[in-house]
Amino acid sequence: MSQTSKKTPSDGESKSETSFVNRFLRGSNLGSSKADSRKENNDPTTADFQPSDETQKTAALDTAKPLTSEMDLGSRMEKNEQFLQKLGKKAVDKCLDLNNCRLTTADMREMVALLPFLPDLEELDISWNDFIGGTLHLITQQMHLVSKLKILRLGSCRLTTDDVRALGDAIKVIPQLEELNLSWNGKVGGNLPLLLQNFQEGSKIQTLELVDCALTSEDGAFVGRLLPVLQNLEVLDLSINGNIGGSVNSIAQGLKSTSNLKVLKLHSCGLSQKSVKLLDAAFGHLGELRKLDLSCNKELGGGFEDSAAQLATLERLEALDLHQCSLTEDDVVSLTQVIPLLSSLQELDLSANKKMGSSSEHLLSRLRFLPTLKSLLVNNCALQSETFSALAEASIHLPALEIFDLSWNKCVGGNLSLLLETLKLSTSLQVLRLSSCSLLTEDVALLASVIQTGHLAKLRKLDLSYNDSICDAGWTIFCQNVWLLKELTELDISLRPSTFRNCGQWFRHLLCAVTKLPEITEIGMKRWLLPASQEEELERFDQDSRSSIHFDHGGFQQADFP
């Protein structure tokens, strides 16, 4: 979600920036009317003509009407510009972004007044404005004025049933629509046919996002029937609609007609083992699919045992998300035959599948056949020493790896040396997460030695939190070398919620290192207790250093724990 800061534009605006008013005044006929008037006064054929009093009155009235209209137009446009300035926005011909502006009903009326001046508008975003629910008719009644609209975003606007119905009627007058986002509007659920029934054969819609809309099983079935109409559909996101699991049969049948689909997201949709079988039959028709998200469907476990064959046909798949799907040992065996065949895969998320721990050795070993893999998330998978060893060996063959998350796998502790070659060879690694891995002092000393020899130069985020077994000597060695990570932006060394410890002398080394890290913005060290002397050092650092660096230590001091 984009965040829009509210600021008032300064008075000293650059001359190169054309004001909203002037841009439209140049397009009016005000200037030409004055020129015509001057020309008429100098015309010799009319100079001797003396109209009667009645004719003069009529002429005065006739010329006053357009002049008044033009004056009103200028006044209206000036008010429009003031409205946009109030929101810290600027109007452009093709895009009006009022996302997260806390729009009120009065603001909506002012926004609608803008539409006649934006006939070429292609993108309208009023998402994350919680107070406009019930007022959408103000826009939909004027939607014909922006018939070239291609992108309409109304996420999290608290739309009412009447809003949904009004928008459904307005769909007919914006035939160029390519993207529609109605996510986080609960009243869409149960009313989806009212909204989308006006999509016709040949619709240009490419992106349809209905995240967390409280869709019913009937809505899901309707989507399945609608999909064959949406031949240009490229992105379909139905995530966080837990009741559509029962209508997957209809959705899967409809997906067979969406051969251009590139992104399919069914995160937390109540999918079951049977759902996997139904979807797998559709995968053979989705040759263009780039991203598939089936995550957080806890009843899905066991569904891949005999139903992953068509998944292997997704030769262009770049991202596969199966985190928190309760994958079974049989699922892992089946996926072992499939995932290594996805040669275009760049992102793989298998995290939070704890039954993988003892059965994923062969799967993780075969990841070496995915040389383009950039992101690998296997956190909280209860990996055991054998599976971790297989993963460590395979990771050597992943030169493009940028994100590596091993958090919450206790077997990493005392065995980080297995990743030594990977850490040395990973010239692209930007994010390394080793939270709650039971790391020992020897592990963090090894990491420090890798840093000292010039490796991990691209690292931007490093998470070593919840590793309470590392002694002060280990933190000292680490803090003495962390300054070499010149691109580091975030570092987390926080303790577990149940643990509080005094900061050792290593804290001074950390402060010294931070002064040599030009990109650092966030340092997490929650539950580390600062004695008064170190608290003073930190205060002096905050005063002398860049204010953009945030030390998150929770405000605890040693004195708080006598």
Side-chain angles (χ1 to χ4, degrees):
M1 175 183 69
S2 61
Q3 298 296 325
T4 304
S5 59
K6 297 188 176 65
K7 57 183 179 179
T8 303
S10 60
D11 294 332
E13 195 166 339
S14 170
K15 292 182 180 179
S16 63
E17 296 179 354
T18 306
S19 75
F20 184 57
V21 174
N22 291 339
R23 178 160 54 82
F24 286 107
L25 282 178
R26 281 207 305 268
S28 72
N29 61 357
L30 184 58
S32 60
S33 297
K34 290 181 179 178
D36 291 342
S37 177
R38 288 193 298 269
K39 181 178 179 181
E40 195 170 25
N41 290 338
N42 293 328
D43 190 344
T45 62
T46 60
D48 296 332
F49 175 69
Q50 300 293 330
S52 65
D53 292 342
E54 188 65 26
T55 304
Q56 286 180 332
K57 290 179 181 179
T58 304
L61 289 173
D62 290 340
T63 55
K65 287 181 180 178
L67 183 59
T68 302
S69 176
E70 288 157 357
M71 292 176 64
D72 288 344
L73 179 63
S75 175
R76 178 66 258 176
M77 288 189 292
E78 186 174 359
K79 289 180 180 179
N80 290 341
E81 186 173 24
Q82 291 172 352
F83 166 64
L84 292 172
Q85 287 179 342
K86 176 182 70 173
L87 300 175
K89 296 290 185 177
K90 291 183 180 180
V92 294
D93 288 330
K94 296 186 178 181
C95 176
L96 183 58
D97 182 1
L98 300 178
N99 168 42
N100 193 28
C101 284
R102 299 182 182 180
L103 298 180
T104 63
T105 301
D107 292 331
M108 285 287 284
R109 295 184 187 280
E110 290 194 63
M111 188 200 72
V112 170
L114 285 172
L115 299 184
F117 306 109
L118 298 172
D120 295 321
L121 191 68
E122 294 183 357
E123 179 177 343
L124 176 60
D125 187 349
I126 53 176
S127 299
W128 301 99
N129 288 289
D130 291 343
F131 304 111
I132 67 174
T135 67
L136 198 64
H137 65 281
L138 298 175
I139 298 177
T140 56
Q141 290 172 356
Q142 304 298 322
M143 199 71 84
H144 61 282
L145 299 172
V146 288
S147 59
K148 297 179 181 179
L149 199 66
K150 294 183 178 181
I151 299 174
L152 179 58
R153 299 190 180 111
L154 297 167
S156 191
C157 287
R158 295 188 181 181
L159 300 184
T160 65
T161 300
D162 289 339
D163 291 330
V164 172
R165 183 180 291 106
L167 182 58
D169 293 336
I171 291 290
K172 293 178 288 188
V173 299
I174 45 175
Q176 305 300 317
L177 194 65
E178 296 178 358
E179 177 181 333
L180 179 60
N181 187 340
L182 298 171
S183 299
W184 300 289
N185 286 293
K187 293 298 183 180
V188 171
N191 295 299
L192 200 62
L194 295 176
L195 177 63
L196 302 183
Q197 63 186 353
N198 287 318
F199 279 134
Q200 301 295 327
E201 191 78 35
S203 168
K204 295 185 178 182
I205 198 77
Q206 297 178 10
T207 298
L208 181 60
E209 296 179 287
L210 300 170
V211 179
D212 197 10
C213 284
L215 299 185
T216 65
S217 182
E218 291 75 15
D219 290 328
F222 173 77
V223 170
R225 295 191 298 272
L226 178 67
L227 287 176
V229 177
L230 308 180
Q231 292 294 307
N232 294 302
L233 193 65
E234 296 183 358
V235 177
L236 177 62
D237 193 347
L238 302 175
S239 297
I240 320 181
N241 287 290
N243 293 322
I244 66 173
S247 54
V248 170
N249 184 31
S250 176
I251 294 173
Q253 289 296 324
L255 287 172
K256 293 179 181 180
S257 301
T258 57
S259 58
N260 292 313
L261 198 67
K262 292 181 171 62
V263 177
L264 176 60
K265 295 184 179 182
L266 297 172
H267 162 89
S268 191
C269 282
L271 303 185
S272 64
Q273 293 181 2
K274 183 179 178 181
S275 302
V276 179
K277 294 178 173 61
L278 294 170
L279 290 171
D280 189 63
F283 290 153
H285 302 265
L286 302 178
E288 297 295 322
L289 200 65
R290 303 294 199 277
K291 183 169 186 175
L292 176 61
D293 184 354
L294 301 177
S295 62
C296 295
N297 288 289
K298 296 181 180 180
E299 302 300 320
L300 184 148
F304 286 105
E305 293 178 13
D306 302 309
S307 305
Q310 294 301 317
L311 185 61
T313 65
L314 302 178
E315 297 179 353
R316 300 187 179 185
L317 194 67
E318 297 176 355
L320 176 61
D321 191 346
L322 298 174
H323 84 266
Q324 202 170 339
C325 284
S326 301
L327 297 181
T328 65
E329 293 185 6
D330 289 331
D331 285 329
V332 173
V333 171
S334 182
L335 291 171
T336 299
Q337 308 301 317
V338 173
I339 290 179
L341 300 178
L342 303 175
S343 57
S344 299
L345 203 62
Q346 298 179 16
E347 302 175 20
L348 177 61
D349 190 348
L350 298 172
S351 59
N353 287 292
K354 294 188 177 182
K355 293 182 180 179
M356 281 183 54
S358 59
S359 61
S360 57
E361 181 178 350
H362 295 298
L363 171 60
L364 298 178
S365 177
R366 297 189 68 187
L367 294 182
R368 69 182 65 210
F369 300 117
L370 301 175
T372 61
L373 200 63
K374 294 182 178 180
S375 176
L376 177 57
L377 310 183
V378 287
N379 48 294
N380 199 20
C381 284
L383 297 184
Q384 298 182 5
S385 56
E386 295 82 5
T387 50
F388 175 56
S389 179
L391 174 60
E393 185 178 350
S395 63
I396 298 174
H397 304 281
L398 302 177
L401 200 61
E402 297 178 359
I403 302 174
F404 198 10
D405 193 343
L406 287 163
S407 298
W408 299 91
N409 289 295
K410 307 302 182 183
C411 66
V412 178
N415 293 302
L416 194 64
S417 57
L418 295 174
L419 285 177
L420 181 59
E421 290 303 312
T422 298
L423 297 177
K424 287 182 177 180
L425 296 174
S426 296
T427 57
S428 302
L429 197 62
Q430 298 179 22
V431 179
L432 178 60
R433 301 193 185 280
L434 300 170
S435 176
S436 193
C437 283
S438 297
L439 296 184
L440 304 176
T441 298
E442 62 193 65
D443 295 318
V444 79
L446 175 73
L447 185 59
S449 69
V450 172
I451 296 171
Q452 187 179 39
T453 51
H455 302 293
L456 300 178
K458 296 292 184 181
L459 202 63
R460 297 184 61 81
K461 298 181 181 180
L462 177 58
D463 186 354
L464 301 175
S465 62
Y466 296 5
N467 287 292
D468 299 353
S469 298
I470 301 170
C471 69
D472 284 355
W475 288 122
T476 298
I477 296 171
F478 173 77
C479 291
Q480 287 174 335
N481 291 279
V482 70
W483 66 273
L484 294 166
L485 301 177
K486 296 299 185 181
E487 297 189 20
L488 196 67
T489 62
E490 296 180 19
L491 171 65
D492 196 344
I493 57 173
S494 299
L495 297 172
R496 292 177 179 277
S498 60
T499 304
F500 292 86
R501 276 172 58 184
N502 296 329
C503 282
Q505 294 302 311
W506 55 264
F507 183 69
R508 286 200 178 103
H509 295 296
L510 179 60
L511 284 181
C512 181
V514 168
T515 63
K516 302 175 184 178
L517 295 173
E519 304 296 329
I520 195 76
T521 59
E522 184 81 19
I523 297 179
M525 43 184 304
K526 292 178 180 177
R527 289 167 291 279
W528 283 103
L529 305 179
L530 298 176
S533 59
Q534 291 180 345
E535 185 75 23
E536 291 174 2
E537 287 184 58
L538 183 57
E539 289 178 1
R540 285 196 300 270
F541 175 85
D542 288 339
Q543 293 172 0
D544 299 339
S545 187
R546 308 187 311 276
S547 60
S548 60
I549 303 176
H550 178 225
F551 277 85
D552 184 7
H553 62 90
F556 292 109
Q557 298 181 7
Q558 194 176 44
D560 297 327
F561 294 82

